[in-house]
Amino acid sequence: MAKKAKSVALLIESSNSYSRGMLQGIAAYMHENEQWSIRLPEQERDAPPPSWLKDWKGDGIIARIENEQIADALRNTKVPVIDVSAARRLPKVPWVEIDEAGIAEAAFNHLRERGFENLAFCGETRFKWSELRQGAFVERAAQEGFACHVFKPPAPIRGRVSLDREGKAIAKWLKSLPRPAALLACYDLKARQILDICREIDLKVPEDLALLGVDNDEVLCDLATPPLSSVIPAAKKIGFAAAHSLDCLMKGEELDQHCRLIGPIGVATRQSTDILAIEDPDVAAALRFIRDHHNEQINVQDVMGVIPVSRRSLEVRFRKTVGRTIYQEIVRRRIDRICQLLNGSKLSLAQIAQRTGFESEEYMSVAFRRAKGMPPGRYRKSQF
């Protein structure tokens, strides 16, 4: 007699690329393990619970518990629940979410390696994850001695702020930023709004303002003018991990972690941050060469071949500006690319080594272990 499939409700909106990525991760877990009978309502972000939920007889739920309505609906449920929201409205429910410190780290490194010292953040105060993202980015900048300009929205009137009034406040704030500046928007939709405002006030992107979003919604980013750079969250891995956690609970097993935070894959670089804000032209040229050729088998001597100064002079100026040696920057770029391929592809280690400028898989593994404290194979497994 065939075993009855478990019935699982997914209270996750499908209206944005991040949530769809989570749904893909849940589907991947099912394909690798066992099929569930899925109940997936069509809903927007922050939507109330579906009417059928109160009478639903299922086995488990994965939900973005973003508001009190959904929290109330799930507070006394008898089935296992996994939360995939940063709002934490039900602290006793196990949760899987984005590691905001990881998002801040990826964004900070992306903007700093382009030489920006004037940093800014624009968020959405109605979302807890935006506040966490802001705090992590401001803290990461402070750790390196940089201030971060933060947009403070106008006070609400009758409980809300109109888009027009907010847009005017953002425009005024953008004009006040020192130039050139680099701005992290809390997500791609906010970055698109800022791009529109920049055009209205004749602020050039990326020349006056480098702009970075989060979510890597490829449709939104590629349709932007200029195309928008964006931090890539590991949405599929978050969905996969949430499904694994729910499966454990439905089987009566205890979870190793009540909270699991998963860092980003990397940054998708497009035109909105494709600029170097570095006054030293030789250091800027060296960084540009490393950026364009780090996946080839280049070394410090190759960099020196395109910069007409002494090696000692360039090394001193490079380290003063970037905070690393030329060799360290080449290795860092390669390791970052390896992490992206381990996270976002099914390429073999030998193929990854070939694509990241290493002579062999063995050489790559040694360099990766030195940088990350574990071999690349274990790193890949640790991401799920």
Side-chain angles (χ1 to χ4, degrees):
M1 183 176 179
K3 185 173 68 171
K4 182 182 177 182
K6 291 185 174 68
S7 180
V8 173
L10 304 179
L11 305 184
I12 300 172
E13 73 273 14
S14 57
S15 57
N16 60 75
S17 66
Y18 172 69
S19 294
R20 289 193 296 273
M22 283 198 293
L23 293 172
Q24 289 173 332
I26 294 168
Y29 182 84
M30 289 167 53
H31 296 328
E32 292 184 18
N33 294 276
E34 62 178 276
Q35 288 293 320
W36 297 334
S37 175
I38 294 295
R39 193 76 181 263
L40 176 63
E42 185 176 347
Q43 61 183 49
E44 296 291 325
R45 181 194 293 273
D46 206 30
S51 58
W52 51 259
L53 185 62
K54 62 179 180 298
D55 298 317
W56 179 71
K57 308 296 183 185
D59 299 293
I61 299 171
I62 300 176
R64 294 195 77 181
I65 308 175
E66 298 259 286
N67 56 53
E68 279 304 313
Q69 290 173 291
I70 290 185
D72 287 341
L74 299 181
R75 185 167 278 111
N76 297 314
T77 184
K78 303 301 182 183
V79 302
V81 177
I82 298 295
D83 188 6
V84 287
S85 166
R88 302 306 298 127
R89 294 185 177 275
L90 296 177
K92 293 183 179 180
V93 170
W95 61 303
V96 183
E97 242 289 320
I98 293 174
D99 179 6
E100 298 299 351
I103 294 287
E105 179 76 18
F108 178 83
N109 288 340
H110 179 78
L111 298 174
R112 276 297 298 137
E113 70 189 21
R114 283 153 177 76
F116 287 98
E117 297 184 355
N118 301 315
L119 304 176
F121 182 90
C122 187
E124 293 270 11
T125 55
R126 61 196 174 108
F127 295 130
K128 179 67 173 179
W129 53 262
S130 178
E131 295 180 358
L132 293 172
R133 199 162 290 175
Q134 172 185 310
F137 188 65
V138 170
E139 181 180 354
R140 183 66 187 90
Q143 288 172 355
E144 300 297 329
F146 296 97
C148 181
H149 304 266
V150 176
F151 172 69
K152 293 180 173 56
I157 297 176
R158 299 186 187 92
R160 60 180 300 178
V161 176
S162 70
L163 286 176
D164 180 63
R165 188 158 160 259
E166 182 191 55
K168 290 178 180 178
I170 291 175
K172 181 179 180 181
W173 175 69
L174 290 173
K175 290 177 181 178
S176 73
L177 295 177
R179 300 183 191 177
L183 188 154
L184 174 62
C186 63
Y187 66 153
D188 293 337
L189 275 174
K190 177 60 68 174
R192 286 291 303 263
Q193 179 190 11
I194 292 169
L195 272 177
D196 291 341
I197 294 170
C198 286
R199 278 194 294 273
E200 294 173 3
I201 63 176
D202 198 27
L203 195 63
K204 295 179 176 60
V205 176
E207 292 82 3
D208 297 326
L209 180 75
L211 182 58
L212 179 64
V214 181
D215 280 350
N216 196 36
D217 186 319
E218 294 187 359
V219 174
L220 288 180
C221 293
D222 289 337
L223 286 176
T225 305
L228 180 67
S229 297
S230 187
V231 181
I232 311 168
K236 291 181 182 179
K237 290 182 178 169
I238 291 171
F240 191 98
H244 175 259
S245 295
L246 180 65
D247 200 17
C248 289
L249 292 180
M250 290 192 299
K251 291 175 179 176
E253 302 171 2
E254 291 189 5
L255 298 180
D256 294 334
Q257 299 170 287
H258 182 77
C259 163
R260 183 168 181 190
L261 302 178
I262 297 177
I265 293 172
V267 176
T269 304
R270 300 182 181 89
Q271 191 178 339
S272 71
T273 59
D274 193 13
I275 194 169
L276 291 174
I278 294 175
E279 294 183 2
D280 189 318
D282 294 327
V283 173
L287 277 169
R288 192 174 294 111
F289 181 82
I290 295 170
R291 181 193 66 191
D292 293 342
H293 299 280
H294 66 277
N295 286 336
E296 305 166 20
Q297 290 183 14
I298 64 168
N299 54 33
V300 177
Q301 201 57 44
D302 293 317
V303 178
M304 297 308 308
V306 298
I307 313 296
V309 297
S310 72
R311 177 167 177 168
R312 176 172 177 76
S313 171
L314 183 61
E315 284 279 16
V316 170
R317 289 150 57 197
F318 191 97
R319 183 155 198 163
K320 181 180 179 181
T321 302
V322 181
R324 292 179 290 273
T325 67
I326 296 172
Y327 173 75
Q328 288 171 336
E329 178 63 12
I330 294 171
V331 172
R332 186 190 70 81
R333 283 276 192 166
R334 285 178 175 170
I335 298 299
D336 283 353
R337 182 57 178 157
I338 292 169
C339 289
Q340 288 185 27
L341 293 174
L342 289 171
N343 280 323
S345 79
K346 295 183 179 179
L347 294 172
S348 68
L349 296 184
Q351 290 172 316
I352 291 175
Q354 185 179 25
R355 296 190 183 199
T356 52
F358 287 92
E359 293 181 9
S360 68
E361 178 185 331
E362 289 72 24
Y363 280 116
M364 180 191 75
S365 295
V366 170
F368 191 89
R369 183 192 290 268
R370 187 180 298 126
K372 295 293 184 179
M374 66 177 74
R378 190 193 305 167
Y379 175 86
R380 173 177 263 172
K381 290 179 181 178
S382 74
Q383 301 305 296
F384 286 92

